[in-house]
Amino acid sequence: MSTVDKKTAPPVGELLKDSPKNWGKWGADDEVGSLNYLTPELIVKAASSIKSGKVFTLQVKMANPEGDPVWPGRSGAIRVNVMDEGHWIANKGLHFEGGLHYADDYMTCFPQGSTQYDALGHVWFDGQIWNGYDAKTTIGGLSKASIMPIAERGVVGRGILLDIARWRKKAVLEPGETFTHEDLKACAAAQGTEIKPRDILVVRTGWIAKYYKVSHAEFYENFIEPGLTYSPALVKWFNEMEIPNLVTDTIANEVTVDPVSGVALPLHNALMRNLRITLTEIAWLDDLATDCAADRQYTFLYVAAPLKIVNGAGAPVNPVVIK
Ligand code: UVW
């Protein structure tokens, strides 16, 4: 929970005035930022994390009749059948020589209303997005730093699960419960592993699993997610560790409101806009976490590619983990 009055929260630009920026680091035209850390050599090395060939997929179910967990203001995907056997029963099916029948769907969705990658240009302040591009480049669709460059590149590297919920001996963290990079390191140590430079951080809080266990009214009441919390030291650590991608089982990857400053989602700007660390939200981590707790293998090959939505601010994804 915020400990400061909303009215006293400083502008995010003031909070982050001394925060490091990687603008220009990969050239004036760069649109993938920290994914540049995932070099072919690193990917070959990351493949050696595969020990048993066990595969886990990290997308939550989409267009789920039970509901899709989404950021307040968004709604879950809606899928409808537009062709099925009923059409042939009612003599309305198309005729194909040989007797082929088929099913077809139509779906509407918020592309960021499922497990998803944020585009680099998804958030900003003071009129500039990642790399200093003008925020006006977002008007009518992102002409800079959209999801496309990430989708075309793909994300492959060594992933490490940091099971904060299990480490804190909880099924799920409390609303607004925070943790820091020091907690990530301590959690890794308790798991018998170590966060290495350029690791893809996969952080579990138990929050998304809670969505399926309680009523939607309870889940969204006084909505404040648990998560990482802003500090200059945390941002410095992410930058020095050259973290390319932060994946979590929450909707926004960080505590909803920074309890110290009262600023909403400051890490979105500190990590994504300024450092260009890619954010992956709403990941399903419970099956992976159960397996890691059983075999004590917390590192793996992580592979993901969001959908190629032209000028998109984000896109759904079904990341794959191979242990
Ligand atoms: C917002 O930042 C509002 O959304 P997301 O959680 O998709 O990044």
Side-chain angles (χ1 to χ4, degrees):
M1 275 301 163
S2 171
T3 56
V4 294
D5 188 300
K6 267 189 193 150
K7 287 191 286 282
T8 66
V12 64
E14 196 179 307
L15 182 73
L16 303 183
K17 69 178 182 327
D18 299 321
S19 217
K21 279 200 197 84
N22 283 332
W23 296 6
K25 179 168 180 171
W26 296 283
D29 295 333
D30 179 78
E31 294 183 278
V32 296
S34 294
L35 296 183
N36 286 296
Y37 293 136
L38 299 173
T39 60
E41 298 72 31
L42 179 140
I43 292 167
V44 169
K45 219 166 147 202
S48 68
S49 307
I50 300 176
K51 307 292 178 203
S52 63
K54 283 186 271 190
V55 173
F56 296 85
T57 56
L58 304 189
Q59 189 185 14
V60 294
K61 290 174 186 164
M62 194 170 182
N64 186 349
E66 286 176 43
D68 294 350
V70 292
W71 181 254
R74 294 179 185 147
S75 50
I78 299 172
R79 183 204 59 77
V80 289
N81 261 109
V82 292
M83 190 66 73
D84 57 28
E85 183 62 10
H87 289 76
W88 281 275
I89 291 170
N91 282 325
K92 289 185 178 163
L94 298 173
H95 174 75
F96 290 95
E97 292 303 324
L100 173 133
H101 294 184
Y102 67 95
D104 225 357
D105 294 331
Y106 175 81
M107 191 163 88
T108 59
C109 70
F110 278 83
Q112 284 157 285
S114 182
T115 309
Q116 56 105 1
Y117 270 79
D118 281 341
L120 276 194
H122 169 51
V123 295
W124 64 89
F125 61 90
D126 288 352
Q128 283 181 302
I129 64 170
W130 155 251
N131 230 13
Y133 299 128
D134 194 315
K136 293 195 191 82
T137 58
T138 64
I139 295 174
L142 273 55
S143 59
K144 285 285 182 193
S146 77
I147 199 62
M148 275 297 278
I150 301 174
E152 287 178 323
R153 190 180 200 285
V155 181
V156 183
R158 188 180 99 131
I160 177 167
L161 177 74
L162 300 157
D163 193 346
I164 298 288
R166 199 173 249 99
W167 177 59
R168 288 195 172 163
K169 301 193 181 355
K170 293 179 170 186
V172 55
L173 299 195
E174 304 301 324
E177 183 173 343
T178 59
F179 50 93
T180 67
H181 62 296
E182 294 297 344
D183 293 312
L184 297 181
K185 288 195 272 180
C187 173
Q191 293 175 173
T193 185
E194 189 192 349
I195 302 169
K196 297 213 171 123
R198 303 190 175 193
D199 272 352
I200 293 168
L201 305 186
V202 181
V203 180
R204 178 174 171 272
T205 65
W207 187 253
I208 284 301
K210 178 179 170 181
Y211 174 83
Y212 302 100
K213 291 178 190 157
V214 299
S215 70
H216 295 175
E218 184 179 339
F219 184 77
Y220 285 109
E221 194 184 7
N222 302 322
F223 185 78
I224 178 159
E225 294 195 291
L228 281 167
T229 188
Y230 168 78
S231 71
L234 177 138
V235 176
K236 186 167 178 279
W237 181 80
F238 268 80
N239 197 26
E240 285 172 1
M241 290 294 283
E242 302 186 335
I243 301 299
N245 189 183
L246 172 66
V247 182
T248 79
D249 66 345
T250 61
I251 300 173
N253 270 12
E254 60 178 303
V255 66
T256 309
V257 178
D258 169 21
V260 178
S261 68
V263 171
L265 305 180
L267 289 178
H268 269 58
N269 275 308
L271 300 184
M272 185 157 56
R273 174 193 183 263
N274 286 358
L275 297 185
R276 187 34 190 132
I277 292 169
T278 315
L279 301 188
T280 310
E281 298 160 330
I282 321 182
W284 176 253
L285 301 180
D286 278 36
D287 296 325
L288 173 65
T290 302
D291 192 77
C292 293
D295 71 4
R296 309 297 300 162
Q297 184 194 333
Y298 285 88
T299 55
F300 36 76
L301 187 69
Y302 174 97
V303 182
L307 301 186
K308 295 182 181 179
I309 300 178
V310 177
N311 301 134
V317 67
N318 184 9
V320 176
V321 156
I322 312 165
K323 288 180 70 179

